[in-house]
Amino acid sequence: MVLILKDGTSDSNIMELVEYLDAYNVSVSVTKGEHTTILCLVGDTSSVSQESVQSFSFVEDIRRIQEPYKAANKKSHPEPTVVDINGVKIGGGNFQVIAGPCSVESEEQIIEVAKAVKASGATLMRGGAFKPRTSPYAFQGLRAEGIELLLEAKKETGMPIVTEIMSAAHLPLFDHVDVIQVGARNMQNFELLKVLGKQDKPILLKRGLANTIEEWLMSAEYIMSGGNKNIILCERGIRSFETATRNTLDLSAVTVLKEKTHLPVIVDPSHATGIVQYVEPLSLAAIAAGADGLIIEVHNNPQKALCDGPQSLTPEQFDNTMKKIKKLRRFMETEI
Ligand code: PEP
Ligand code: MN
């Protein structure tokens, strides 16, 4: 970290700042130019609060040389993390497709969809039991009963299940859930992230609606610093000025993350676009961009879905999309 001081900063002010920085375990070197003085901080600067340093009125600018995330940083862990979900691996060349309805609605619905997506090649099943809805009057999910039904579908198909948590108070209900999803709206629910850091289950961490890649990685850092290193990042589109799609899929985030972190990255083209016919082309684009997997909404009767029908593929559409996904994956794995 480099601190640039304002022109004419007095020696006593420089000493005051150096003494303040003594409290942190960093070494400080002072370089005085003709007009400008700079302080270089070397060591682990992650606990140095930028805001407190900025509050010294004679500090002109602060430049971070190192990223503020450590555990998630590729520099500290160059090998890709492979998250193992009861034998289903994501990351480091292992590609998986998670599929299922937005919400669990009934036993018949979840089992029918689970069997269909498995037959098409999905290896993990999704389904919301606790639903984060904009309106309190909209369907809120079957909650505990929804998780029971997911467990039934797991028993029927053998597929591990992925479902969203909205409150740490619900954690006991997630005992037999294989992957806990943190939705976009909770990406910065730091108390929830801290609790999940103490779990030994993989966490699917979705990107917040208006969060930068660095903020997203700092949320992963919350979980990792608690001890849980099994995180899968999920790009699901961000808010932009564009209204033609529900969100704007930031595929560049996949390539940026591949450079910055060792954690696996998957893409959710369903919530990113909100429109069924865009799901397949963006699934293929995500694979080309280097994603480690996809999470796709599939419903056995999208017109009657209680949530997100317009973006849900029918099992037949999903089957066709999976054929193209497999073809593209094979092509990408082939040496040319
Ligand atoms: C979901 O996956 O069901 C969901 C609500 O997604 P997001 O948090 O990305 O909006
Ligand atoms: Mn949904």
Side-chain angles (χ1 to χ4, degrees), residues 102 126 131-132 164 181 183-185 206 236 268 271 297:
C102 180
R126 65 151 289 148
K131 293 304 304 173
E164 177 168 353
Q181 175 174 323
R185 290 152 191 84
K206 291 190 133 194
R236 46 78 72 206
D268 175 347
H271 292 91
E297 285 190 345

Side-chain angles (χ1 to χ4, degrees), residues 73-333:
N73 201 322
K74 202 170 174 180
K75 287 179 192 153
S76 65
H77 188 298
E79 290 305 309
T81 285
V82 178
V83 175
D84 191 332
I85 308 142
N86 299 330
V88 179
K89 295 184 173 133
I90 302 193
N94 301 285
F95 180 92
Q96 306 297 341
V97 177
I98 306 168
C102 180
S103 318
V104 182
E105 297 170 8
S106 68
E107 182 171 350
E108 195 191 1
Q109 173 239 21
I110 193 67
I111 290 179
E112 190 178 324
V113 177
K115 284 183 174 164
V117 297
K118 184 181 178 182
S120 301
T123 43
L124 294 133
M125 180 191 15
R126 65 151 289 148
F130 292 92
K131 293 304 304 173
R133 306 302 301 276
T134 301
S135 166
Y137 309 117
F139 175 59
Q140 302 287 304
L142 295 181
R143 302 169 69 86
E145 189 197 342
I147 294 190
E148 286 305 315
L149 296 180
L150 280 168
L151 295 174
E152 283 296 314
K154 178 178 167 179
K155 215 185 289 169
E156 284 276 331
T157 60
M159 270 198 291
I161 55 176
V162 182
T163 194
E164 177 168 353
I165 193 162
M166 284 170 55
S167 162
H170 299 150
L171 201 54
L173 298 169
F174 286 70
D175 270 357
H176 302 291
V177 166
D178 301 281
V179 179
I180 303 180
Q181 175 174 323
V182 175
R185 290 152 191 84
N186 271 312
M187 189 206 87
Q188 286 193 317
N189 182 340
F190 301 120
E191 290 301 319
L192 178 62
L193 300 180
K194 283 184 209 169
V195 171
L196 296 176
K198 300 285 173 216
Q199 309 305 308
D200 58 6
K201 280 183 202 302
I203 308 295
L204 178 68
L205 180 64
K206 291 190 133 194
R207 182 180 187 175
L209 283 80
N211 286 109
T212 63
I213 293 172
E214 186 168 294
E215 286 164 344
W216 188 10
L217 287 171
M218 289 308 286
S219 290
E221 196 74 16
Y222 261 93
I223 302 170
M224 296 179 90
S225 60
N228 187 352
K229 310 280 192 237
N230 288 311
I231 299 171
I232 303 157
L233 299 167
C234 177
E235 161 61 39
R236 46 78 72 206
I238 48 175
R239 280 273 166 95
S240 80
F241 52 83
E242 184 54 70
T243 54
T245 47
R246 186 174 177 183
N247 292 289
T248 295
L249 180 59
D250 180 12
L251 272 187
S252 55
V254 177
T255 47
V256 172
L257 286 166
K258 287 284 153 196
E259 194 177 272
K260 297 201 175 290
T261 182
H262 50 90
L263 297 172
V265 186
I266 70 165
V267 168
D268 175 347
S270 308
H271 292 91
T273 62
I275 298 169
V276 72
Q277 58 271 34
Y278 302 157
V279 171
E280 179 179 294
L282 290 171
S283 296
L284 300 176
I287 296 170
D292 298 295
L294 294 162
I295 179 165
I296 299 177
E297 285 190 345
V298 180
H299 197 286
N300 51 350
N301 191 351
Q303 276 89 24
K304 294 247 170 78
L306 296 180
C307 185
D308 287 351
Q311 68 193 34
S312 299
L313 271 61
T314 61
E316 295 69 34
Q317 287 169 324
F318 178 70
D319 193 61
N320 285 328
T321 297
M322 278 303 288
K323 288 195 174 93
K324 295 192 188 165
I325 288 173
K326 288 179 202 164
K327 215 168 167 181
L328 180 57
R329 282 287 306 161
R330 275 199 300 275
F331 174 75
M332 287 186 64
E333 280 167 349

